[in-house]
PDB file of all heavy atoms in Angstrom:
ATOM      1  N   MET I 113     -96.310-121.315  49.132  1.00  0.00           N
ATOM      2  CA  MET I 113     -97.599-121.941  49.463  1.00  0.00           C
ATOM      3  C   MET I 113     -98.731-120.939  49.232  1.00  0.00           C
ATOM      4  O   MET I 113     -98.629-119.779  49.625  1.00  0.00           O
ATOM      5  CB  MET I 113     -97.586-122.386  50.929  1.00  0.00           C
ATOM      6  CG  MET I 113     -98.749-123.300  51.281  1.00  0.00           C
ATOM      7  SD  MET I 113     -98.697-123.884  53.009  1.00  0.00           S
ATOM      8  CE  MET I 113     -99.269-122.457  53.905  1.00  0.00           C
ATOM      9  N   ILE I 114     -99.789-121.399  48.590  1.00  0.00           N
ATOM     10  CA  ILE I 114    -100.941-120.515  48.382  1.00  0.00           C
ATOM     11  C   ILE I 114    -101.889-120.650  49.567  1.00  0.00           C
ATOM     12  O   ILE I 114    -102.342-121.747  49.890  1.00  0.00           O
ATOM     13  CB  ILE I 114    -101.676-120.868  47.072  1.00  0.00           C
ATOM     14  CG1 ILE I 114    -100.726-120.664  45.890  1.00  0.00           C
ATOM     15  CG2 ILE I 114    -102.924-120.015  46.903  1.00  0.00           C
ATOM     16  CD1 ILE I 114    -101.222-121.266  44.596  1.00  0.00           C
ATOM     17  N   MET I 115    -102.171-119.523  50.216  1.00  0.00           N
ATOM     18  CA  MET I 115    -103.082-119.550  51.355  1.00  0.00           C
ATOM     19  C   MET I 115    -104.517-119.551  50.835  1.00  0.00           C
ATOM     20  O   MET I 115    -104.818-118.888  49.853  1.00  0.00           O
ATOM     21  CB  MET I 115    -102.880-118.299  52.219  1.00  0.00           C
ATOM     22  CG  MET I 115    -101.483-118.190  52.833  1.00  0.00           C
ATOM     23  SD  MET I 115    -101.171-119.489  54.024  1.00  0.00           S
ATOM     24  CE  MET I 115    -102.213-118.910  55.387  1.00  0.00           C
ATOM     25  N   PRO I 116    -105.413-120.302  51.487  1.00  0.00           N
ATOM     26  CA  PRO I 116    -106.817-120.247  51.076  1.00  0.00           C
ATOM     27  C   PRO I 116    -107.357-118.832  51.287  1.00  0.00           C
ATOM     28  O   PRO I 116    -106.980-118.168  52.255  1.00  0.00           O
ATOM     29  CB  PRO I 116    -107.516-121.240  52.006  1.00  0.00           C
ATOM     30  CG  PRO I 116    -106.584-121.437  53.149  1.00  0.00           C
ATOM     31  CD  PRO I 116    -105.198-121.149  52.650  1.00  0.00           C
ATOM     32  N   GLN I 117    -108.220-118.400  50.366  1.00  0.00           N
ATOM     33  CA  GLN I 117    -108.745-117.048  50.480  1.00  0.00           C
ATOM     34  C   GLN I 117    -109.635-116.937  51.705  1.00  0.00           C
ATOM     35  O   GLN I 117    -110.466-117.798  51.985  1.00  0.00           O
ATOM     36  CB  GLN I 117    -109.539-116.693  49.223  1.00  0.00           C
ATOM     37  CG  GLN I 117    -109.716-115.193  49.083  1.00  0.00           C
ATOM     38  CD  GLN I 117    -110.603-114.853  47.900  1.00  0.00           C
ATOM     39  OE1 GLN I 117    -111.343-115.683  47.407  1.00  0.00           O
ATOM     40  NE2 GLN I 117    -110.528-113.624  47.457  1.00  0.00           N
ATOM     41  N   GLU I 118    -109.426-115.878  52.432  1.00  0.00           N
ATOM     42  CA  GLU I 118    -110.180-115.636  53.645  1.00  0.00           C
ATOM     43  C   GLU I 118    -111.640-115.345  53.295  1.00  0.00           C
ATOM     44  O   GLU I 118    -111.928-114.655  52.348  1.00  0.00           O
ATOM     45  CB  GLU I 118    -109.560-114.417  54.337  1.00  0.00           C
ATOM     46  CG  GLU I 118    -110.091-114.128  55.709  1.00  0.00           C
ATOM     47  CD  GLU I 118    -109.760-112.704  56.132  1.00  0.00           C
ATOM     48  OE1 GLU I 118    -108.819-112.123  55.575  1.00  0.00           O
ATOM     49  OE2 GLU I 118    -110.483-112.198  56.982  1.00  0.00           O
ATOM     50  N   SER I 119    -112.555-115.928  54.071  1.00  0.00           N
ATOM     51  CA  SER I 119    -113.976-115.721  53.813  1.00  0.00           C
ATOM     52  C   SER I 119    -114.534-114.666  54.764  1.00  0.00           C
ATOM     53  O   SER I 119    -114.353-114.752  55.973  1.00  0.00           O
ATOM     54  CB  SER I 119    -114.723-117.040  53.990  1.00  0.00           C
ATOM     55  OG  SER I 119    -116.020-116.907  53.502  1.00  0.00           O
ATOM     56  N   LEU I 120    -115.179-113.666  54.199  1.00  0.00           N
ATOM     57  CA  LEU I 120    -115.733-112.577  55.002  1.00  0.00           C
ATOM     58  C   LEU I 120    -117.096-112.981  55.559  1.00  0.00           C
ATOM     59  O   LEU I 120    -117.931-113.534  54.835  1.00  0.00           O
ATOM     60  CB  LEU I 120    -115.884-111.332  54.119  1.00  0.00           C
ATOM     61  CG  LEU I 120    -116.324-110.047  54.835  1.00  0.00           C
ATOM     62  CD1 LEU I 120    -115.203-109.479  55.688  1.00  0.00           C
ATOM     63  CD2 LEU I 120    -116.795-109.006  53.821  1.00  0.00           C
ATOM     64  N   ILE I 121    -117.324-112.699  56.839  1.00  0.00           N
ATOM     65  CA  ILE I 121    -118.647-112.954  57.426  1.00  0.00           C
ATOM     66  C   ILE I 121    -119.527-111.735  57.170  1.00  0.00           C
ATOM     67  O   ILE I 121    -119.150-110.613  57.509  1.00  0.00           O
ATOM     68  CB  ILE I 121    -118.536-113.248  58.934  1.00  0.00           C
ATOM     69  CG1 ILE I 121    -117.769-114.555  59.137  1.00  0.00           C
ATOM     70  CG2 ILE I 121    -119.922-113.325  59.578  1.00  0.00           C
ATOM     71  CD1 ILE I 121    -117.321-114.785  60.568  1.00  0.00           C
ATOM     72  N   VAL I 122    -120.666-111.965  56.535  1.00  0.00           N
ATOM     73  CA  VAL I 122    -121.560-110.874  56.140  1.00  0.00           C
ATOM     74  C   VAL I 122    -122.958-111.190  56.656  1.00  0.00           C
ATOM     75  O   VAL I 122    -123.414-112.326  56.568  1.00  0.00           O
ATOM     76  CB  VAL I 122    -121.602-110.723  54.598  1.00  0.00           C
ATOM     77  CG1 VAL I 122    -122.508-109.566  54.191  1.00  0.00           C
ATOM     78  CG2 VAL I 122    -120.198-110.524  54.030  1.00  0.00           C
ATOM     79  N   GLU I 123    -123.624-110.177  57.221  1.00  0.00           N
ATOM     80  CA  GLU I 123    -124.983-110.387  57.707  1.00  0.00           C
ATOM     81  C   GLU I 123    -125.957-109.432  57.035  1.00  0.00           C
ATOM     82  O   GLU I 123    -125.579-108.341  56.620  1.00  0.00           O
ATOM     83  CB  GLU I 123    -125.007-110.217  59.227  1.00  0.00           C
ATOM     84  CG  GLU I 123    -124.257-111.343  59.919  1.00  0.00           C
ATOM     85  CD  GLU I 123    -124.083-111.093  61.400  1.00  0.00           C
ATOM     86  OE1 GLU I 123    -124.990-111.423  62.163  1.00  0.00           O
ATOM     87  OE2 GLU I 123    -123.029-110.534  61.758  1.00  0.00           O
ATOM     88  N   ALA I 124    -127.212-109.855  56.951  1.00  0.00           N
ATOM     89  CA  ALA I 124    -128.230-109.071  56.242  1.00  0.00           C
ATOM     90  C   ALA I 124    -129.147-108.348  57.211  1.00  0.00           C
ATOM     91  O   ALA I 124    -129.618-108.934  58.180  1.00  0.00           O
ATOM     92  CB  ALA I 124    -129.070-109.994  55.371  1.00  0.00           C
ATOM     93  N   VAL I 125    -129.398-107.070  56.959  1.00  0.00           N
ATOM     94  CA  VAL I 125    -130.496-106.364  57.627  1.00  0.00           C
ATOM     95  C   VAL I 125    -131.537-106.061  56.547  1.00  0.00           C
ATOM     96  O   VAL I 125    -131.287-105.254  55.659  1.00  0.00           O
ATOM     97  CB  VAL I 125    -130.023-105.047  58.285  1.00  0.00           C
ATOM     98  CG1 VAL I 125    -131.202-104.332  58.938  1.00  0.00           C
ATOM     99  CG2 VAL I 125    -128.932-105.308  59.311  1.00  0.00           C
ATOM    100  N   PRO I 126    -132.685-106.756  56.601  1.00  0.00           N
ATOM    101  CA  PRO I 126    -133.707-106.503  55.577  1.00  0.00           C
ATOM    102  C   PRO I 126    -134.392-105.161  55.837  1.00  0.00           C
ATOM    103  O   PRO I 126    -134.715-104.836  56.984  1.00  0.00           O
ATOM    104  CB  PRO I 126    -134.709-107.644  55.769  1.00  0.00           C
ATOM    105  CG  PRO I 126    -134.120-108.567  56.786  1.00  0.00           C
ATOM    106  CD  PRO I 126    -133.094-107.795  57.549  1.00  0.00           C
ATOM    107  N   VAL I 127    -134.583-104.369  54.787  1.00  0.00           N
ATOM    108  CA  VAL I 127    -135.356-103.112  54.884  1.00  0.00           C
ATOM    109  C   VAL I 127    -136.305-103.026  53.686  1.00  0.00           C
ATOM    110  O   VAL I 127    -136.078-103.649  52.654  1.00  0.00           O
ATOM    111  CB  VAL I 127    -134.456-101.844  54.950  1.00  0.00           C
ATOM    112  CG1 VAL I 127    -133.578-101.861  56.191  1.00  0.00           C
ATOM    113  CG2 VAL I 127    -133.585-101.691  53.714  1.00  0.00           C
ATOM    114  N   PHE I 128    -137.366-102.222  53.870  1.00  0.00           N
ATOM    115  CA  PHE I 128    -138.400-102.082  52.832  1.00  0.00           C
ATOM    116  C   PHE I 128    -138.931-103.470  52.435  1.00  0.00           C
ATOM    117  O   PHE I 128    -138.812-104.425  53.188  1.00  0.00           O
ATOM    118  CB  PHE I 128    -137.879-101.320  51.607  1.00  0.00           C
ATOM    119  CG  PHE I 128    -137.236 -99.990  51.935  1.00  0.00           C
ATOM    120  CD1 PHE I 128    -135.963 -99.680  51.475  1.00  0.00           C
ATOM    121  CD2 PHE I 128    -137.904 -99.047  52.716  1.00  0.00           C
ATOM    122  CE1 PHE I 128    -135.373 -98.456  51.758  1.00  0.00           C
ATOM    123  CE2 PHE I 128    -137.322 -97.823  53.011  1.00  0.00           C
ATOM    124  CZ  PHE I 128    -136.054 -97.537  52.533  1.00  0.00           C
ATOM    125  N   ALA I 129    -139.482-103.563  51.224  1.00  0.00           N
ATOM    126  CA  ALA I 129    -140.103-104.824  50.809  1.00  0.00           C
ATOM    127  C   ALA I 129    -139.062-105.877  50.444  1.00  0.00           C
ATOM    128  O   ALA I 129    -139.237-107.063  50.746  1.00  0.00           O
ATOM    129  CB  ALA I 129    -141.037-104.581  49.626  1.00  0.00           C
ATOM    130  N   ASP I 130    -137.962-105.455  49.829  1.00  0.00           N
ATOM    131  CA  ASP I 130    -137.034-106.470  49.319  1.00  0.00           C
ATOM    132  C   ASP I 130    -135.572-106.018  49.256  1.00  0.00           C
ATOM    133  O   ASP I 130    -134.780-106.582  48.501  1.00  0.00           O
ATOM    134  CB  ASP I 130    -137.487-106.939  47.926  1.00  0.00           C
ATOM    135  CG  ASP I 130    -137.732-105.775  46.969  1.00  0.00           C
ATOM    136  OD1 ASP I 130    -136.978-104.785  47.045  1.00  0.00           O
ATOM    137  OD2 ASP I 130    -138.676-105.849  46.158  1.00  0.00           O
ATOM    138  N   ASN I 131    -135.209-104.971  50.028  1.00  0.00           N
ATOM    139  CA  ASN I 131    -133.794-104.550  50.066  1.00  0.00           C
ATOM    140  C   ASN I 131    -133.056-105.259  51.197  1.00  0.00           C
ATOM    141  O   ASN I 131    -133.639-105.559  52.242  1.00  0.00           O
ATOM    142  CB  ASN I 131    -133.668-103.047  50.335  1.00  0.00           C
ATOM    143  CG  ASN I 131    -133.953-102.197  49.116  1.00  0.00           C
ATOM    144  OD1 ASN I 131    -135.090-102.120  48.647  1.00  0.00           O
ATOM    145  ND2 ASN I 131    -132.914-101.549  48.603  1.00  0.00           N
ATOM    146  N   TYR I 132    -131.752-105.461  50.992  1.00  0.00           N
ATOM    147  CA  TYR I 132    -130.871-105.871  52.086  1.00  0.00           C
ATOM    148  C   TYR I 132    -129.800-104.821  52.292  1.00  0.00           C
ATOM    149  O   TYR I 132    -129.193-104.348  51.330  1.00  0.00           O
ATOM    150  CB  TYR I 132    -130.160-107.194  51.770  1.00  0.00           C
ATOM    151  CG  TYR I 132    -131.062-108.397  51.704  1.00  0.00           C
ATOM    152  CD1 TYR I 132    -131.160-109.153  50.546  1.00  0.00           C
ATOM    153  CD2 TYR I 132    -131.824-108.774  52.811  1.00  0.00           C
ATOM    154  CE1 TYR I 132    -131.989-110.265  50.486  1.00  0.00           C
ATOM    155  CE2 TYR I 132    -132.655-109.887  52.751  1.00  0.00           C
ATOM    156  CZ  TYR I 132    -132.732-110.631  51.592  1.00  0.00           C
ATOM    157  OH  TYR I 132    -133.548-111.727  51.529  1.00  0.00           O
ATOM    158  N   VAL I 133    -129.566-104.464  53.574  1.00  0.00           N
ATOM    159  CA  VAL I 133    -128.365-103.710  53.929  1.00  0.00           C
ATOM    160  C   VAL I 133    -127.373-104.762  54.414  1.00  0.00           C
ATOM    161  O   VAL I 133    -127.657-105.483  55.374  1.00  0.00           O
ATOM    162  CB  VAL I 133    -128.650-102.686  55.051  1.00  0.00           C
ATOM    163  CG1 VAL I 133    -127.388-101.901  55.387  1.00  0.00           C
ATOM    164  CG2 VAL I 133    -129.798-101.762  54.658  1.00  0.00           C
ATOM    165  N   TRP I 134    -126.251-104.889  53.710  1.00  0.00           N
ATOM    166  CA  TRP I 134    -125.256-105.894  54.097  1.00  0.00           C
ATOM    167  C   TRP I 134    -124.290-105.299  55.121  1.00  0.00           C
ATOM    168  O   TRP I 134    -123.793-104.187  54.938  1.00  0.00           O
ATOM    169  CB  TRP I 134    -124.483-106.395  52.869  1.00  0.00           C
ATOM    170  CG  TRP I 134    -125.373-107.099  51.883  1.00  0.00           C
ATOM    171  CD1 TRP I 134    -125.727-106.671  50.640  1.00  0.00           C
ATOM    172  CD2 TRP I 134    -126.031-108.362  52.071  1.00  0.00           C
ATOM    173  NE1 TRP I 134    -126.568-107.586  50.034  1.00  0.00           N
ATOM    174  CE2 TRP I 134    -126.768-108.630  50.893  1.00  0.00           C
ATOM    175  CE3 TRP I 134    -126.082-109.296  53.118  1.00  0.00           C
ATOM    176  CZ2 TRP I 134    -127.537-109.785  50.733  1.00  0.00           C
ATOM    177  CZ3 TRP I 134    -126.844-110.443  52.951  1.00  0.00           C
ATOM    178  CH2 TRP I 134    -127.558-110.683  51.779  1.00  0.00           C
ATOM    179  N   MET I 135    -124.017-106.065  56.205  1.00  0.00           N
ATOM    180  CA  MET I 135    -123.179-105.600  57.312  1.00  0.00           C
ATOM    181  C   MET I 135    -121.982-106.542  57.463  1.00  0.00           C
ATOM    182  O   MET I 135    -122.139-107.758  57.436  1.00  0.00           O
ATOM    183  CB  MET I 135    -123.972-105.640  58.633  1.00  0.00           C
ATOM    184  CG  MET I 135    -125.354-104.993  58.605  1.00  0.00           C
ATOM    185  SD  MET I 135    -125.329-103.191  58.517  1.00  0.00           S
ATOM    186  CE  MET I 135    -124.519-102.776  60.069  1.00  0.00           C
ATOM    187  N   PHE I 136    -120.793-105.952  57.626  1.00  0.00           N
ATOM    188  CA  PHE I 136    -119.623-106.796  57.918  1.00  0.00           C
ATOM    189  C   PHE I 136    -118.655-106.027  58.802  1.00  0.00           C
ATOM    190  O   PHE I 136    -118.723-104.798  58.904  1.00  0.00           O
ATOM    191  CB  PHE I 136    -118.944-107.273  56.623  1.00  0.00           C
ATOM    192  CG  PHE I 136    -118.389-106.174  55.753  1.00  0.00           C
ATOM    193  CD1 PHE I 136    -117.070-105.741  55.912  1.00  0.00           C
ATOM    194  CD2 PHE I 136    -119.165-105.584  54.771  1.00  0.00           C
ATOM    195  CE1 PHE I 136    -116.541-104.746  55.102  1.00  0.00           C
ATOM    196  CE2 PHE I 136    -118.650-104.581  53.958  1.00  0.00           C
ATOM    197  CZ  PHE I 136    -117.339-104.158  54.128  1.00  0.00           C
ATOM    198  N   ALA I 137    -117.770-106.780  59.461  1.00  0.00           N
ATOM    199  CA  ALA I 137    -116.802-106.152  60.355  1.00  0.00           C
ATOM    200  C   ALA I 137    -115.481-106.889  60.262  1.00  0.00           C
ATOM    201  O   ALA I 137    -115.453-108.124  60.214  1.00  0.00           O
ATOM    202  CB  ALA I 137    -117.308-106.197  61.794  1.00  0.00           C
TER     203      ALA I 137
END
Side-chain angles (χ1 to χ4, degrees):
M113 192 178 77
I114 298 167
M115 298 294 287
Q117 199 185 19
E118 188 198 338
S119 191
L120 186 72
I121 295 167
V122 181
E123 291 171 85
V125 179
V127 298
F128 308 128
D130 52 36
N131 282 69
Y132 293 120
V133 181
W134 297 111
M135 311 288 297
F136 62 91

